[in-house]
Amino acid sequence: MQENGFPHLNNDSTKVALVEGDKSHTYSEVNQRIDKFASGLLGGKEDLQEERIAFFLPASLDYVTTMHGVWRAGGIAVPLNVASAVPELEHYLSCASVTRMVSTGKYLTSLQSLCESMAITLISVEDLLVNELTKLPAISPERRGMMLFTSGTTNKPKGVVSTHKTIRAQITTLIEAWAWTEEDVIPLLLPLHHIHGIINILCCGLWAGATVHLFAKFDIPKIMEQVVAGTYNVFMAVPTIYVKLIQYFETIEDAEVKIICDGFRPMRLNISGSAACPVKLFNQWKELTGQILLERYGMTEIGMGISNPYDGERRAGAVGKPLPGVEAALFDEEHNMITDEEIPGEIRIKGDNVFLEYWDNPIATEESFRDGWFCTGDVAVVEDGYYRIMGRSSIDIIKSGGYKLSGLEIEGTLLLHENITEVAVIGVEDETWGESVMAFIALREGANMEYADLKSWCEGKMSSYKIPKAIRIIDALPRNAMGKVTKPKLKELLC
Ligand code: MCA
Ligand code: AMP
């Protein structure tokens, strides 16, 4: 282990860190494997000097080995969405100038030609587990450690770069605020290319010395088996997961529902975040399980910023107060800080938790900060000290099942369809997904389009959760005098 760096991992020896199916791995086993992998990655070099190493791995021991191995060897970890379509992957890999990609099993075959065409060396963790350990570099906190891709109001996702200091701040504030301890056992059922899964669950758990159960997908019966067995004392998910659990309860016997809900009841904490938790859902979950959901607010660029309290009132429909070490304030359109309660404004955030930069995009980085504050684009009010999210400043951002999607990115792909002349994508309210993607489409003269055909056409061109759930064919998109599409008018068409 390096001496001065930021290993971000507990060093307890015998405690179980990870459970993966019927296998479990202790902290000492995981730590040793990481050191071997980091030594293999270095391959004789003293320091990777922020080489971007991508990984295309489901939640697994290999994932943890790779992420921490890259950190310990001085690289930048670039975890990728294992559900990505090839054009999306091409963008991530070229944007980050990735040189090596770590993957496993069947993916090693499916990624081969893409990696070859981009001169990226494709490797497995096993390939780099060396027995002779090298001295690992000392990593200063200001060094870049991770790049995650996020959708914005531009066509292509941007790489959000965090330093080791950022990562540390994001983890430690949650350890303190949510009272993580080594006694905690938590299931990880979220994808591992976003903060929610990576920082809030995996990194916090492994920093605290807790046990994290890894699930490669949201497998309700398997996870519920463990809930019933009383395995977990903490549960974190996006609102859609709680909705889907309630929908699942409607498909099984009442007695079984009761047993599952009794498994949730004694947990010390159930958290909802990544998208608004409707008050109805908050109340339903409380009625079913007795759990008062702790809702919090975060963003890829800031980790978590605002949270309802662990001890104290958890207010339905509100996201709470700024976390320890995080400064939050509301600003009006003239960039004046709002000091009166109940006047809405944009949430801006300061603190060590805030990212360093958008990779290779100084203009976007500069535009996203004002006077040292990161401008989130989310609008809120403060009521009695509690922040309540009112919406977003951009209609081009859609939050579906916890994923942040760019309407413009989806439009860009749909426009490649030979029969589509104009398209506008918006999010429409949806009980399961929060918002679901809807496309308004104008067609080439004489052309027809069935939804099912468009859906099949989209497959492989974008991640499946970005594919519109519905389309509406219209003659022409509504535009203002400047020729800009007026998306709010499209929403009105649905009323
Ligand atoms: C799956 N589908 C979706 C979504 N997920 N459609 C719209 N929105 C989605 N989010 C579609 C698939 O395309 C597929 O469609 C069908 O649903 C079944 O797919 P499957 O993968 O089996 O679905 P699932 O396992 O039930 O997934 C639902 C899910 C998943 C578990 C809620 O969406 C998910 O993991 N969401 C969380 C994402 C996340 O971690 N977000 C945090 C980022 P078809 O059948 O037509 O092919 S935000 C963040 O990190 C910030 C910092 C924060 O605040 O936390
Ligand atoms: P992402 O960049 O994918 O991490 O998504 C961050 C966005 O998710 C934020 O800018 C918010 O719009 C939204 N978000 C996260 N948590 C909440 C919440 N509790 N309530 C409402 N929106 C949320």
Side-chain angles (χ1 to χ4, degrees):
M1 286 272 287
Q2 74 237 54
E3 288 151 0
N4 311 316
F6 283 82
H8 309 305
L9 190 72
N10 198 282
N11 206 14
D12 192 319
S13 53
T14 51
K15 181 90 199 300
V16 171
L18 300 169
V19 175
E20 201 183 353
D22 53 9
K23 293 195 206 107
S24 53
H25 309 284
T26 62
Y27 276 94
S28 86
E29 189 191 329
V30 175
N31 267 312
Q32 282 168 26
R33 195 165 189 263
I34 294 168
D35 282 346
K36 288 180 175 184
F37 180 71
S39 301
L41 265 182
L42 282 164
K45 288 187 195 150
E46 281 181 9
D47 188 322
L48 291 184
Q49 300 290 2
E50 301 189 354
E51 177 186 350
R52 273 77 61 206
I53 312 264
F55 38 114
F56 195 87
L57 294 165
S60 57
L61 174 63
D62 275 356
Y63 181 102
V64 175
T65 306
T66 305
M67 174 159 270
H68 287 271
V70 172
W71 284 342
R72 287 184 194 176
I76 299 181
V78 188
L80 296 174
N81 173 8
V82 290
S84 306
V86 171
E88 293 166 336
L89 278 181
E90 276 172 338
H91 168 67
Y92 304 143
L93 296 169
S94 67
C95 173
S97 305
V98 165
T99 42
R100 286 188 276 178
M101 166 122 92
V102 184
S103 195
T104 186
K106 62 179 186 204
Y107 299 130
L108 287 168
T109 316
S110 60
L111 292 168
Q112 200 173 355
S113 70
L114 175 67
C115 287
E116 266 170 28
S117 70
M118 299 184 78
I120 292 170
T121 309
L122 184 59
I123 40 179
S124 71
V125 171
E126 292 292 329
D127 290 340
L128 293 185
L129 291 176
V130 295
N131 284 324
E132 207 164 307
L133 298 185
T134 19
K135 185 172 179 300
L136 298 175
I139 312 290
S140 80
E142 279 72 29
R143 287 266 300 264
R144 294 171 181 82
M146 182 160 72
M147 191 184 322
L148 301 179
F149 282 89
T150 191
S151 299
T153 47
T154 52
N155 196 330
K156 297 276 186 196
K158 298 190 286 269
V160 176
V161 179
S162 314
T163 63
H164 287 271
K165 188 171 168 181
T166 322
I167 297 165
R168 183 193 181 102
Q170 292 181 353
I171 297 170
T172 52
T173 190
L174 298 186
I175 301 263
E176 179 184 340
W178 297 343
W180 275 94
T181 76
E182 59 186 14
E183 301 298 317
D184 289 326
V185 185
I186 187 168
L188 171 47
L189 39 105
L190 292 172
L192 277 178
H193 60 288
H194 282 305
I195 293 280
H196 197 158
I198 298 172
I199 298 286
N200 297 20
I201 302 177
L202 189 60
C203 288
C204 281
L206 296 183
W207 183 291
T211 300
V212 182
H213 281 221
L214 304 170
F215 290 89
K217 66 189 288 286
F218 175 45
D219 184 337
I220 299 185
K222 258 201 193 147
I223 298 161
M224 291 309 103
E225 234 175 69
Q226 296 299 319
V227 167
V228 168
T231 306
Y232 309 127
N233 66 341
V234 184
F235 191 85
M236 294 188 197
V238 298
T240 297
I241 285 183
Y242 291 102
V243 172
K244 284 187 170 242
L245 286 175
I246 294 170
Q247 288 170 351
Y248 172 71
F249 295 163
E250 283 158 12
T251 67
I252 57 177
E253 298 290 328
D254 287 353
E256 211 181 322
V257 174
K258 185 174 179 312
I259 294 171
I260 294 174
C261 291
D262 285 346
F264 278 100
R265 206 172 299 279
M267 291 188 192
R268 73 167 185 87
L269 184 59
N270 280 190
I271 294 186
S272 172
S274 301
C277 175
V279 173
K280 180 178 158 198
L281 180 61
F282 178 96
N283 289 332
Q284 275 176 312
W285 197 249
K286 185 173 166 196
E287 200 160 303
L288 281 162
T289 64
Q291 286 286 343
I292 301 175
L293 284 173
L294 182 156
E295 184 174 5
R296 61 27 172 214
Y297 162 86
M299 198 169 176
T300 308
E301 288 87 338
I302 63 164
M304 295 303 107
I306 304 174
S307 170
N308 271 285
Y310 182 67
D311 292 312
E313 183 201 357
R314 296 183 196 160
R315 199 175 287 179
V319 293
K321 302 180 180 186
L323 280 158
V326 177
E327 266 186 88
L330 299 182
F331 286 81
D332 65 20
E333 282 174 4
E334 277 76 47
H335 309 291
N336 301 309
M337 193 185 285
I338 297 170
T339 46
D340 293 342
E341 288 220 335
E342 302 196 23
I343 296 183
E346 186 193 51
I347 304 178
R348 296 189 183 172
I349 300 282
K350 258 187 197 174
D352 287 347
N353 58 305
V354 176
F355 77 125
L356 176 70
E357 61 186 0
Y358 293 115
W359 180 256
D360 201 20
N361 200 339
I363 295 173
T365 307
E366 200 187 322
E367 283 172 357
S368 68
F369 286 89
R370 184 129 196 156
D371 302 326
W373 293 89
F374 172 69
C375 308
T376 64
D378 290 307
V379 176
V381 286
V382 179
E383 294 164 341
D384 199 12
Y386 280 65
Y387 282 71
R388 188 158 62 82
I389 311 286
M390 312 280 286
R392 247 167 267 128
S393 54
S394 172
I395 197 166
D396 291 319
I397 298 291
I398 301 162
K399 261 274 156 162
S400 171
Y403 284 119
K404 180 177 174 183
L405 310 178
S406 157
L408 299 188
E409 185 196 352
I410 299 170
E411 287 162 14
T413 304
L414 293 177
L415 277 172
L416 301 173
H417 192 290
E418 57 177 4
N419 285 340
I420 296 180
T421 55
E422 287 192 300
V423 61
V425 165
I426 58 169
V428 295
E429 216 172 290
D430 185 281
E431 205 157 309
T432 302
W433 302 112
E435 287 181 301
S436 75
V437 176
M438 173 149 195
F440 288 78
I441 294 173
L443 292 173
R444 188 172 54 77
E445 216 177 303
N448 288 316
M449 180 170 281
E450 292 297 328
Y451 170 71
D453 296 334
L454 181 69
K455 186 170 186 273
S456 331
W457 180 88
C458 288
E459 277 155 20
K461 296 185 176 68
M462 59 178 94
S463 300
S464 73
Y465 52 79
K466 296 181 186 172
I467 299 175
K469 295 269 189 265
I471 58 172
R472 169 87 61 103
I473 305 295
I474 54 174
D475 292 337
L477 297 177
R479 292 180 186 273
N480 63 16
M482 314 286 287
K484 192 174 174 335
V485 177
T486 45
K487 289 193 174 181
K489 284 229 163 75
L490 294 172
K491 286 212 166 175
E492 286 167 23
L493 287 180
L494 297 172
C495 298

